[in-house]
């Protein structure tokens, strides 16, 4: 029981690295798309990411809340020690969200360029800071307790820096692959080629960093190193390497769809490897079992989680299907089918508006509900509240749909 | 590591900046909460406008729905990031609270997470799906946005209700044991009134703020169909919500009187437990028996005074009282304004003509935000010195990390920037020509 949530957390973390990572990476590439010429690249990036970034981002929330509900003491130890990088990540997230929102209002290329710079810088900062956090945890620098670790060296150390830089490079790589595929779908071949080049550069950088990893870990984080170089951890590490190389080869041959899958697999494998290498401890001296919340809490969370998935999965599939099939692309022709509004405009009779009678009746229901709420307690009050709210909704429909007087000439 | 060792690792810490930490938390809420009013109430208004278009064929509804949906998306983006910051801060500032009770109330946030997932997915489909989906499908994709706005706020408010009226666990050596997370969150007598009060507040705030903006244009002489329809929808929503809020507020006060008597006493600065307690309205008007009447609907009821607990266990009375009076005062004014609007709308089938009405309506937007924040200050400062009422003190929840003033200052600057950005975006979006959102006219293509 105690392990199930941590598995889900790692799944969430992998999903965030793949999906949220691509979103950060898209921002990072805006740095290389400056000036007039870059504007086509920037437009493309923005168009691809805008419909999905909020959904991608929720994975992080998911990881946070699962961690604090199911491993409250471990969560609190981590955030109180690694306060600085987490705070920086938080600021980065605000600036990114603001960047998306500002985009909606920008109208001149100059404004848009400035916003994109802000957006790009925060897109580098956030994954870097989150990588520092992961490094601090993985290298065993977070003791149990309220702010018991070193405020600085817990995140300013070789492992943290390695993972921070790797996070940025991976994000850039994932994004470039994704954007190249998208550009090809939209038929902009030169944009696709531009992103292919970027994917290759970022992929090679990420690969080199990954190769350097074991050397750094062996001296700075020996426990994780041992875990990753033996048993199941080693299998995961090798799987990640193979997937990474495959992904790169697929980019070279321009098979972006398959490359996306392989790159995602590389990330999933390395996250799994981390989990395997570090278990059974979550923090030094604190095992997953000891850190876990009671079974009742975990059961409740899992029930909530299962119920949530039933709604979430079809919704996510629907969104990604629409996006990946190009339904939201600007070049896609508008929906050609019949239009109910046009039919209504022809037949709009008295039924389209509400009457004074309906208005007064709904108003009276609201008032009666309010009266009951005011004078009663307990179950009767609940009845009153329900009546009042239902009446208010109906009353809104009635009042808002009243026929209007001819405006004065 | 044995359990008692873990618990003692979260014992009280030295923190010189507790007050700053509290202010930082409050500041972040003040940024989040007006934005989420739009996340809660705006989708319903937008979908209603689209539905009216389908029903009447009047193109102005379509223009309105499209235009509003873009504003909704921009505000949602800022709402999402400000909410994310809150999640970070809950851990960054109050690790003692999270460590001790994360397993009691965390379920609420897990469920909230799913809600926001759904909201984020469908808001994107809705906004980017204009003209890309069959019209009826498009209308339907708006429904999950409305529903998940309701459920999302329901789950967070369940957490707040639990903090104010904790149950569903037992304390043993500083550890919460025998935890019943469902009962703690959803079997709570605070949840219903907080949820309904907040939900109605969202309609008041969103409706009156929209009315402020369009009312300004109306006063300047813009009587276009677009402005008239925008005002009709937004004012109708706010005007129905405002009187309802008085009844819900009364319900809230009666529940507080029962469960948090010290908070109620600080609404009125009632020092001693009194039978038939009076109510003072500044400056110096005293209404006999009124507090008893308000709190218990009985002029002779005994109201518990602040002296029932030691001074250390009392909230900062001045702030609580001022906020409460502000909320109630503004709430009453808004209800009066609402009555005028509803009368003219229903009897005369038009918008009010009086310039005074419109000046008041313009003021109503910002005032409703003030009422909203004042209400939350009443609840949250009134809960002090407890973070979990009667169970854990705020000073035992705070982080031991340094640098709170630096974080606070940084956040203040960032939020000021975000605030300026939001204003800029809204002005820009408003300046776009309406034709952008009008139906593409040619026959054969979709309108
Ligand atoms: C537009 C906003 C608005 C308006 C007009 C009012 N309120 Fe309110 N009030 C809120 C917005 C609000 C809130 C959403 O900010 C709070 C904070 C916590 C909550 O549940 O709702 C609140 C809390 C709150 C509380 C504390 C509840 C608690 O601690 O659990 C009381 C006693 C009242 N309100 C009473 C009233 C009364 C008697 C009003 C009538 C005039 C009123 N409110 C109008
Ligand atoms: C009365 C209190 C609250 C209400 C009514 C509320 C409501 C909402 C709503 C409606 C949204 C959707 C975004 C939007 O519409 O702008 C939102 C976003 C969010 N809120 Fe709050 N919230 C409240 C308090 C909190 C608290 C206390 C936290 C965390 C500690 C929080 C965390 C979040 C997060 C993480 C998001 C982003 C979700 C996403 O990524 O889609 N909120 N909130
Ligand atoms: C609905 C979910 C909410 C949760 C879970 C929540 C949680 C918290 C926590 C943990 C603290 C810090 C501990 C403390 O000071 O006791 C706090 C303080 C505070 N919160 Fe809330 N809060 C919520 C909603 C809000 C909203 C919407 C506001 C709006 C303005 C607000 C205003 C404040 C203020 C003013 C304080 C500081 C109180 C003081 O220290 O005097 N809260 N809240």
């Amino acid at each position: 029981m105690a392990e199930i949530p941590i598995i889900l957390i790692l799944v969430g973390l992998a999903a965030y690295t793949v999906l949220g990572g691509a979103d950060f990476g898209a921002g990072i590439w805006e740095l290389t798309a400056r000036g007039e010429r870059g504007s086509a690249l920037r437009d493309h990036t923005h168009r691809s990411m805008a419909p999905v970034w909020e959904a991608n981002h929720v994975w992080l929330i998911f990881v946070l809340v699962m961690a604090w509900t199911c491993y409250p003491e471990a969560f609190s130890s981590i955030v109180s020690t690694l306060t600085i990088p987490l705070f920086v990540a938080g600021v980065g997230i605000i600036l990114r969200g603001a960047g998306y929102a500002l985009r909606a209002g920008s109208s001149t290329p100059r404004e848009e360029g400035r916003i994109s710079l802000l957006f790009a810088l925060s897109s580098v900062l956030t994954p870097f800071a989150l990588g520092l956090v992961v490094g601090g945890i993985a290298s065993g620098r977070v003791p149990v307790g309220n702010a018991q670790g070193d405020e600085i060296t817990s995140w300013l150390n070789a492992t943290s820096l390695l993972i921070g830089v790797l996070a940025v490079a991976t994000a850039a790589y994932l994004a470039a692959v994704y954007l190249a595929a998208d550009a090809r779908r939209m038929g902009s071949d030169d944009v696709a080629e531009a992103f292919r080049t970027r994917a290759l550069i970022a992929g090679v950088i990420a690969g080199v960093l990954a190769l350097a990893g074991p050397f750094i870990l062996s001296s700075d984080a020996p426990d994780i190193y041992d875990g990753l170089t033996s048993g199941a951890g080693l299998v995961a590490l090798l799987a990640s390497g193979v997937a990474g190389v495959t992904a790169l080869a697929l980019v070279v041959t321009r098979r972006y769809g398959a490359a996306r899958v392989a790159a995602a697999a590389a990330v999933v494998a390395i996250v799994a490897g981390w989990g395997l290498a570090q278990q059974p401890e979550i923090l030094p001296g604190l095992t997953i079992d000891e850190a876990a919340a009671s079974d009742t809490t975990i059961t409740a969370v899992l029930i909530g989680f299962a119920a949530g998935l039933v709604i979430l999965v079809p919704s996510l599939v629907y969104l990604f299907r629409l996006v990946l099939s190009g339904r939201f692309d600007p070049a896609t022709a508008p929906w050609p089918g019949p239009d109910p509004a046009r039919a209504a405009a022809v037949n709009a009779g008295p039924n389209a508006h509400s009457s004074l009678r309906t208005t007064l009746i709904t108003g009276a229901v609201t008032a009666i509900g309010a009266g009951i709420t005011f004078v009663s307690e307990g179950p009767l009050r609940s009845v009153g509240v329900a009546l009042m709210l239902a009446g208010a909704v109906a009353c809104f429909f009635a009042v808002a749909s009243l026929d209007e007087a001819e405006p004065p000439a | 590591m044995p359990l008692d060792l873990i618990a003692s690792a979260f014992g009280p810490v030295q923190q010189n900046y507790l007050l700053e930490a509290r202010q930082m938390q409050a500041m972040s809420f003040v940024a989040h909460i007006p934005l989420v009013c739009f996340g809660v109430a705006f989708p319903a208004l937008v979908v209603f406008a689209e539905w009216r278009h389908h029903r009447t064929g009047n193109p102005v509804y379509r223009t309105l729905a499209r235009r509003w949906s873009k504003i909704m998306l921009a505000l949602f983006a800022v709402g999402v990031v400000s909410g994310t910051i809150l999640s970070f801060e809950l851990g960054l500032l109050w690790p003692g609270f999270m460590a001790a009770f994360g397993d009691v109330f965390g379920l609420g946030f897990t469920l909230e997470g799913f809600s926001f997932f759904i909201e984020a997915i469908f808001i994107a489909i809705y906004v980017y799906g204009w003209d890309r989906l069959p019209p009826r499908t498009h209308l339907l994709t708006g429904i999950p946005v409305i529903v998940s706005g309701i459920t999302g706020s329901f789950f967070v408010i369940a957490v707040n209700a639990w903090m104010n009226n904790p149950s569903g666990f037992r304390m043993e050596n500083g550890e919460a044991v025998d935890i019943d997370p469902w009962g703690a969150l959803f079997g709570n007598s605070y949840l219903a009134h907080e949820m309904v009060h907040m939900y109605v507040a969202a309609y008041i705030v969103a409706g009156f703020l929209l009315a402020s903006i369009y009312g300004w244009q109306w006063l300047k002489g813009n009587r276009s169909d677009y402005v008239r329809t925008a005002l009709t929808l937004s004012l109708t929503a706010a005007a129905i919500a405002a009187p309802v809020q008085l009844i819900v507020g009364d319900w809230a006060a009666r529940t507080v009187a029962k469960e948090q008597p010290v908070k109620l006493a600080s609404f009125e600065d009632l020092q001693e437990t009194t039978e038939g307690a009076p109510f003072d309205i500044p400056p110096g008007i005293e209404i006999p028996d009124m507090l008893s009447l308000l709190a218990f609907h009985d002029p002779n009821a005994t109201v518990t005074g602040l002296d029932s607990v030691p001074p250390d266990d009392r909230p900062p009375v001045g702030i609580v009282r001022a906020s409460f009076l502000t909320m109630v005062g503004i709430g009453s004014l808004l209800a009066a304004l609402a009555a005028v609007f509803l009368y003219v709308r229903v009897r005369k089938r038009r918008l009010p003509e009086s310039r005074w009405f419109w000046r008041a309506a313009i003021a109503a937007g910002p005032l409703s935000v003030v009422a909203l924040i004042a209400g939350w200050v009443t609840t949250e400062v009134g809960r002090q010195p407890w973070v979990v009422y009667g169970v854990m003190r705020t000073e035992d929840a705070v982080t031991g990390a340094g640098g709170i003033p630096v974080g606070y200052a940084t956040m203040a600057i960032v939020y000021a920037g975000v605030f300026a950005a939001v204003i800029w975006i809204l002005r820009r979006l408003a300046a776009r020509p309406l034709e952008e959102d009008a139906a593409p006219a040619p026959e054969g293509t979709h309108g």
Side-chain angles (χ1 to χ4, degrees), chain A residues 66-137:
Chain A
M66 285 292 278
W68 84 44
T69 311
C70 299
Y71 308 99
E73 286 93 358
F75 172 82
S76 298
S77 309
I78 292 167
V79 291
S80 59
T81 288
L82 293 164
T83 297
I84 294 173
L86 279 168
F87 183 77
V88 171
V91 173
I93 288 171
I94 303 192
L95 295 180
R96 274 174 50 80
Y100 270 112
L102 282 166
R103 245 325 178 62
S106 73
S107 45
T108 66
R110 228 179 97 204
E111 278 170 11
E112 190 236 284
R114 284 207 196 133
I115 294 166
S116 130
L117 186 64
L118 169 86
F119 183 66
L121 291 175
S122 53
S123 298
V124 177
L125 194 64
T126 313
F128 180 67
L130 292 173
L132 296 179
V133 172
V134 171
I137 303 169

Side-chain angles (χ1 to χ4, degrees), chain A residues 315-332:
Chain A
S315 309
L316 264 184
V317 169
Y318 184 41
L319 173 65
F320 276 97
R321 244 200 18 228
L322 288 172
V323 171
L324 294 178
S325 70
R327 187 61 87 73
F328 295 158
D329 293 353
T332 306

Side-chain angles (χ1 to χ4, degrees), chain A residues 61, chain B residues 29 32-33 36 39 76 79-80 83 87 90 112 116 153 156 376:
Chain A
I61 315 283
Chain B
F29 276 120
H32 185 58
I33 214 71
V36 305
F76 182 76
V80 165
S87 307
L90 233 44
E112 184 219 21
F116 289 144
S153 21
V156 245
W376 276 105

Side-chain angles (χ1 to χ4, degrees), chain A residues 181-387:
Chain A
D182 252 20
R184 197 161 63 183
R185 191 190 66 230
M186 294 185 203
S188 346
D189 282 337
D190 41 336
V191 175
E193 282 304 302
F195 278 114
R196 176 174 173 269
T197 316
R198 287 167 166 74
L200 291 173
I201 297 173
V204 169
I205 296 178
V208 170
L209 285 168
L211 285 179
F215 299 99
I216 295 179
L217 292 184
S218 70
S219 64
D220 191 60
D223 288 347
I224 283 286
Y225 177 80
D226 291 345
L228 275 177
T229 50
S230 63
L234 182 61
V235 175
L237 184 68
L238 293 177
S240 177
V242 171
V245 174
T246 312
L248 213 51
L250 289 167
V251 175
V252 173
T253 55
R254 296 192 174 75
R255 283 200 289 258
Y256 302 123
R260 261 187 211 178
V261 177
V267 171
V268 172
I270 197 65
V271 172
W274 173 34
L276 290 166
Q278 193 167 325
Q279 55 115 2
E281 288 198 339
I282 199 166
L283 296 179
L286 183 71
T287 65
I288 294 172
D289 262 336
E290 291 162 348
S294 70
D295 279 359
T296 37
T297 296
I298 293 183
T299 313
V301 168
L302 293 180
I303 291 173
F305 184 82
L309 275 192
V310 172
I311 305 171
L312 176 64
V313 170
S315 309
L316 264 184
V317 169
Y318 184 41
L319 173 65
F320 276 97
R321 244 200 18 228
L322 288 172
V323 171
L324 294 178
S325 70
R327 187 61 87 73
F328 295 158
D329 293 353
T332 306
W335 178 261
D339 179 3
R342 189 146 302 171
V346 179
N347 316 325
N351 284 342
H353 298 287
S354 55
S355 65
L356 182 61
R357 219 176 99 221
T358 333
T359 308
L360 294 180
I361 292 174
T362 54
V365 171
T366 316
I368 293 169
I372 298 176
T373 309
F374 189 72
V375 297
S376 60
E377 285 192 32
L380 188 57
R381 175 159 60 195
S382 311
V383 174
V385 172
L387 203 60

